Amino acid sequence: MSRIAILSALAQEQHGLLALLLQPQKVQRAGRDFWLGHLHGHSVVLALSRIGKVAAATTATALIEHLAVTRILFTGVAGGLAPDVQVGDVVVASSFVQHDLDASPIFPRFELPLYGRAVLACDEILSALLFQAARDHLAEASAAAPARHRVHRGLIASGDRFVSAQAQSVTLRRALQRAGHKALAVEMEGAAVAQVCLDYGVPFAAVRTISDRADDQAHLDFATFVREVASQYACAIIGRALRSLSNK
Ligand code: ADE
């Protein structure tokens, strides 16, 4: 039977989904709590990735090895990196890169040693599904209260750093651009989960709501946004995606 994992980095992003979970059952592995249950007709497991690449990779591995998940979705927040990606926008990943991976001069900067690539593609079908769900959600939300938030789809950069200065953000974006990578947003887990999913052949996709612009204001914007908006977005977008996904 198919079982979908829904990962979030923070408890505030997960609590709305947890409240909707039917027949919840908690199991513990690798020092983590995993919530098994049903959501919109699917067998699911909700989990916190924890923060940073190693923690997220451990969580993804535990989900695959011990809880037999067949697909992984990630929902959370990210900092906007491209100039047109603003707070309140949604970014659906088409692929991920690790912005802090640098084994040069042995391998080109950003390339995953022995993988022969820097960019890890998301599952095309799941990514398209999240994109449509995010667009539908924002269209409905802006009909109720007009807003100009946009849904983007493209590359997300992950690394073990909360980017909280304009200078860092510009440096990061330029370094990626020089290597041919146009990153829309930055966060701290997605590329690690994508790498584990590639290793195991498990389809993976991710949606991130932009909580800040990865600039000097980032830590202030982040806290408010996560508290007030992130959980609702996660519930609404994941809910729509699950409803239009076959549970075979
Ligand atoms: N997640 C949300 N905002 C972020 C930022 N500015 N840097 C890294 N991860 C983030």
Side-chain angles (χ1 to χ4, degrees), residues 13 76-80 99 157 159-165 168 186-189 208-215 218-219 222 226:
E13 296 163 332
V77 294
H99 69 69
D160 288 321
R161 181 204 291 175
F162 186 84
V163 182
S164 57
Q168 280 175 15
V186 63
E187 40 81 306
M188 300 178 68
E189 298 84 19
R208 295 273 189 170
T209 308
I210 300 303
S211 54
D212 58 83
R213 281 281 312 152
D215 58 12
H219 60 293
F222 177 83
V226 167

Side-chain angles (χ1 to χ4, degrees), residues 17-176:
L17 288 166
L18 203 50
L20 295 176
L21 191 68
L22 300 176
Q23 296 119 22
Q25 189 199 341
K26 184 167 85 172
V27 297
Q28 292 184 313
R29 290 283 185 283
R32 287 144 166 81
D33 293 341
F34 294 96
W35 288 94
L36 297 163
H38 291 88
L39 212 50
H40 303 293
H42 293 272
S43 171
V44 300
V45 50
L46 305 182
L48 297 178
S49 62
R50 301 202 176 175
I51 298 169
K53 292 184 298 166
V54 174
T58 302
T59 307
T61 306
L63 281 165
I64 296 166
E65 287 280 4
H66 300 295
L67 296 162
V69 304
T70 48
R71 289 175 275 199
I72 298 183
L73 300 177
F74 200 114
T75 167
V77 294
L81 213 53
D84 62 334
V85 177
Q86 297 298 329
V87 172
D89 286 1
V90 174
V91 175
V92 173
S94 57
S95 54
F96 281 95
V97 63
Q98 291 186 33
H99 69 69
D100 54 356
L101 181 55
D102 186 357
S104 62
I106 303 164
F107 296 94
R109 187 169 177 191
F110 306 118
E111 184 169 312
L112 289 162
L114 311 183
Y115 285 69
R117 69 182 93 170
V119 172
L120 299 166
C122 292
D123 180 75
E124 180 59 36
I125 294 170
L126 291 179
S127 169
L129 193 78
L130 289 179
F131 186 61
Q132 192 57 49
R135 283 167 64 123
D136 291 347
H137 173 61
L138 257 63
E140 192 179 286
S142 73
R148 291 182 164 217
H149 300 311
R150 295 172 57 198
V151 184
H152 311 258
R153 190 169 175 203
L155 178 70
I156 295 182
S158 312
D160 288 321
R161 181 204 291 175
F162 186 84
V163 182
S164 57
Q166 173 76 12
Q168 280 175 15
S169 151
V170 169
T171 305
L172 185 58
R173 184 156 52 88
R174 290 201 180 136
L176 286 164

Side-chain angles (χ1 to χ4, degrees), residues 215-247:
D215 58 12
D216 307 75
Q217 286 283 316
H219 60 293
L220 303 173
D221 296 345
F222 177 83
T224 318
F225 194 91
V226 167
R227 201 173 48 246
E228 293 174 6
V229 185
S231 172
Q232 290 94 301
Y233 268 61
C235 269
I237 297 171
I238 294 293
R240 279 180 189 273
L242 289 180
R243 286 195 294 272
S244 48
L245 188 64
S246 147
N247 57 5

